[in-house]
Structure formats: C-alpha cells, structure tokens
Amino acid sequence: LAFLAVYLAVKALMLREMGFVTPEGRWILPLAPSLAWLTGIGLAGLAVGHDRGSAASRDGNRAAIRDGDRVAAGMAGGVALAGMALAFGWLPWLYPRAARLDPAAAGEALPPASIVYGEAIALESAALGELQIGRTSEAQLVWRALAAPEADASVSAQLLMPDGAGGWERPIKLDQQDSYPGAGSAPTGDWRSGERRADRVWLRPALDGRELDGPVKAGLGIWLVGGPGPAEVWPMTREGRALDWPLLAETVLRPASPPALPSAARLAPAPRFGDAVELAGLAWADGPAGGAHLDLWWRVLTPLARDYPVFVQVLGPDGDLREQADGDPIGGASPSSIWRAGDLLRDRRNLKQAPPTGGALLLGFYDRATGARLEARLDGERLGDDAFRSPIP
C-alpha cells in the first residue's frame, strides 16, 4: 500500500497544468496491475495469518478461518482490479493521442501552406489561439505521411516572437516543447503512406522575468528531429522551395497584466486618434550615447481593422525637423490590427539625439498605403494636421 501510495503521488506530481502525464511515465503503467496484485497477496497473507492465529488461540473455529480467506481474497481482488482500472482506464486518457483522421486519397494535393519534412511527412496545418504570458495553450497539428517513414522523428515545437526590429530574422524564443506525436503514443516509424494524424502540443510562453509592453505578434515553429544522427533536423520545403524557418501559425501574445502607467506620465486630457486610440501617457528618459528614450502609452478604445503606423517627429525651436521615428508600436512587433478594446501598451521610441530644449514633439497615426492621417482630437477639438503637439521643456 505504501508503494502504491508513493507511485500515485509521483504520478500526481507529474501531472502538469496542461493536463497530461509526461511521456516517460507511460512505461510505468503496465507495472500498476502487478504491483496491485502483489499488494493484494500480501494483504491476504496478513489477514489469513491473523485470523487463523486468533481463531486457533480461542476455540479453533474453522468458520472464522474460512471467513478470513474470503475477506483476504476479496481485498486482493479489489486492489488488483483498482490497479488495472487505474492503469488501463484513467491514466491513459490523460495522454494526448495522435488520433487517426481519414486517410488522404491517392494524389490528393497538400494545402498551400503545408511544410514537407524529408519528403516523407507533411504538416498540413497548425492552429494556435491567442496566448498569454504564463498561461498554457494548446496548438493543434495535422500530419500526413507522404511515404512510410523509416525512423521515429521527435517533434520540436517552438513559440517565437519577432526581434526588436519587428522581424523574424532573430526571433525571441518564448517556449520549446520536444516530444513525439501523441506524446509517444504514435511514433512516426509505424505510420503508413497516406495516413493522417491529428496531434496536440502544449506551450507556455515566458520571458524569463522580463515584462511584455503590450500585445505582440507570435509564431509557432515546428521542426522534426531524428534519423541516423542523434539530433539531425529533417530538411523542410514549402511548395518545393527550401525552408529555413518553419513558421506555421501566427497569433497574438498578450502580457500577464498590462504595463503600469506612471502618474507623472499621464496626459489629461488625453488626445484621441480616430476615436479608437488615445495617448494615455508620455515620458522622456535619457538613452545611451547621448540619445533619448520616448515612452508613449497607448490605450485602445475600439479595435482597428488595419495596421496604422505611428509617426513621431522631433522639431527644434525654430520648427525644423531634427529626428523622426516612425513605425508600428513596440519595435514593429505590435501592429494596430492585433489590438483589442481595453489594451494598454507602452511604446518605446529610441532616439539618437537628446530632445532639443524649446522644441516640440509631433505624433499621430497614418495609413501606410495612402499616407492619410487618422483624425486627431484633444478635448473634442480637432487638431491641426491631425497631429498631437507636445512642447519639449
């Protein structure tokens, strides 16, 4: 009983927030019925020995011995059945399974966005909902065997966000999960040509103690690893072209909580742009090499259907343009089309020069395609050139 209690405690500790047991624990499951049966035999021996000893010492009552045998047998059988139900009923259902889907018809074309790995396995689709820092989310994958794979390939799923320039050249890794299809229950070496499988991967984004300044783009990359070498990455192609980054699904990553708006940075009244966004705060700070940081806090009132970049112009005392820092917020990683009502984000602009005393700051939103600016208002009054002007002290 003590052994079984420890076993169940360990299994409980292996349960992650995502709701399944780690794949390595799967191999312990067949031991549970054996352990339960041996435990039952031990209980039976203890019960029978105790009953026989006590009966013989009293009056040699044979009926007590037979009753003890039946009780012991019932205890042994009950424990064994409970162990079998646990091993083959409850615990296996905690594992993600790569369920079989309808097989692909001969010659059926792959979806355009599919990624082919080593000309043997294709990832037809990947679906990933919105993410939040510190919260586990599920990605759904659909695999297709183009040929009978000769090796068991492990799946490396990586959750990525764009780098500081808003691109995917050097993405920031938020989480990585390495496993096998179905958490080991559907090894690719057993797949047949044309077979299709639905798989799941759980991801938990984290930034190693750093804070996220608002909603940003995120992407899911899927690699297959295996083969003759211990860590050989399978070559990847999309529509016949070699692929280095298997970015399949893009989504939105949101912070665990919105960034704090310092009281000294608050603007009252706050200028509004297109009745969709307001500039809730503005602050200057010293930057490296004689430059400056300009922090803008945007509060979203209603969603924007398109991406509207922000224009930022630093003017000198005589009105001449000293510096300009245009682009999507948060280094290009947070286009306005991913915002939703209630979002608050801090948008830091790094300037090469210190702000000129007596100058002014002009900012607003514009349409990248036409150059037209979103209507800007302050306290209900429309602003000239649809730009908010803030003096530089």
Side-chain angles (χ1 to χ4, degrees), residues 261-262 265-268 270-271 277-282 296-299 344:
L261 173 58
R266 296 179 186 273
L267 293 178
V277 185
E278 70 176 17
L279 181 62
L282 183 152
L296 308 172
W297 279 267
W298 303 108
R299 179 175 285 115
L344 177 68

Side-chain angles (χ1 to χ4, degrees), residues 56-74:
S57 63
R58 290 196 306 270
D59 54 4
N61 190 339
R62 300 296 180 183
I65 297 177
R66 289 193 296 273
D67 291 343
D69 290 344
R70 286 193 290 270
V71 170

Side-chain angles (χ1 to χ4, degrees), residues 20 47 77 168 186 191 235 296 329 335 392:
F20 71 93
W168 296 100
W191 293 3
L296 308 172
I392 298 174

Side-chain angles (χ1 to χ4, degrees), residues 10-164:
V10 171
K11 296 300 289 186
L13 292 174
M14 293 170 69
L15 290 174
R16 299 184 59 181
E17 181 181 325
M18 56 195 65
F20 71 93
V21 185
T22 54
E24 292 75 12
R26 197 164 53 91
W27 305 108
I28 309 176
L29 292 182
L31 297 178
S34 303
L35 293 173
W37 183 254
L38 291 174
T39 303
I41 292 175
L43 289 173
L46 289 174
V48 171
H50 179 270
D51 287 344
R52 284 178 176 173
S54 60
S57 63
R58 290 196 306 270
D59 54 4
N61 190 339
R62 300 296 180 183
I65 297 177
R66 289 193 296 273
D67 291 343
D69 290 344
R70 286 193 290 270
V71 170
M75 293 172 63
V79 173
L81 289 174
M84 293 179 68
L86 172 71
F88 298 106
W90 180 62
L91 284 178
W93 284 99
L94 296 178
Y95 286 92
R97 293 172 298 281
R100 284 188 175 91
L101 303 176
D102 293 335
E108 181 180 342
L110 290 169
S114 299
I115 295 179
V116 177
Y117 299 85
E119 300 182 359
I121 298 176
L123 185 53
E124 291 188 356
S125 64
L128 183 63
E130 282 197 354
L131 305 170
Q132 187 174 0
I133 293 291
R135 180 176 295 178
T136 301
S137 298
E138 177 184 292
Q140 298 178 346
L141 313 176
V142 176
W143 300 99
R144 186 199 297 188
L146 305 179
E150 298 179 356
D152 290 335
S154 64
V155 180
S156 179
Q158 298 185 20
L159 186 62
L160 311 166
M161 65 176 286
D163 59 14

Side-chain angles (χ1 to χ4, degrees), residues 306-353:
R306 289 184 291 169
D307 294 337
Y308 290 93
V310 178
F311 66 88
V312 176
Q313 299 176 4
V314 180
L315 306 180
D318 54 358
D320 59 321
L321 180 64
R322 296 289 184 88
E323 194 169 353
Q324 191 159 350
D326 296 356
D328 291 318
I330 312 183
S334 184
S336 59
S337 59
I338 69 172
W339 298 350
R340 67 185 181 192
D343 281 342
L344 177 68
L345 56 151
R346 186 188 71 159
D347 179 18
R348 168 160 287 187
R349 305 279 162 157
N350 298 315
L351 303 175
K352 298 178 181 179
Q353 306 173 30

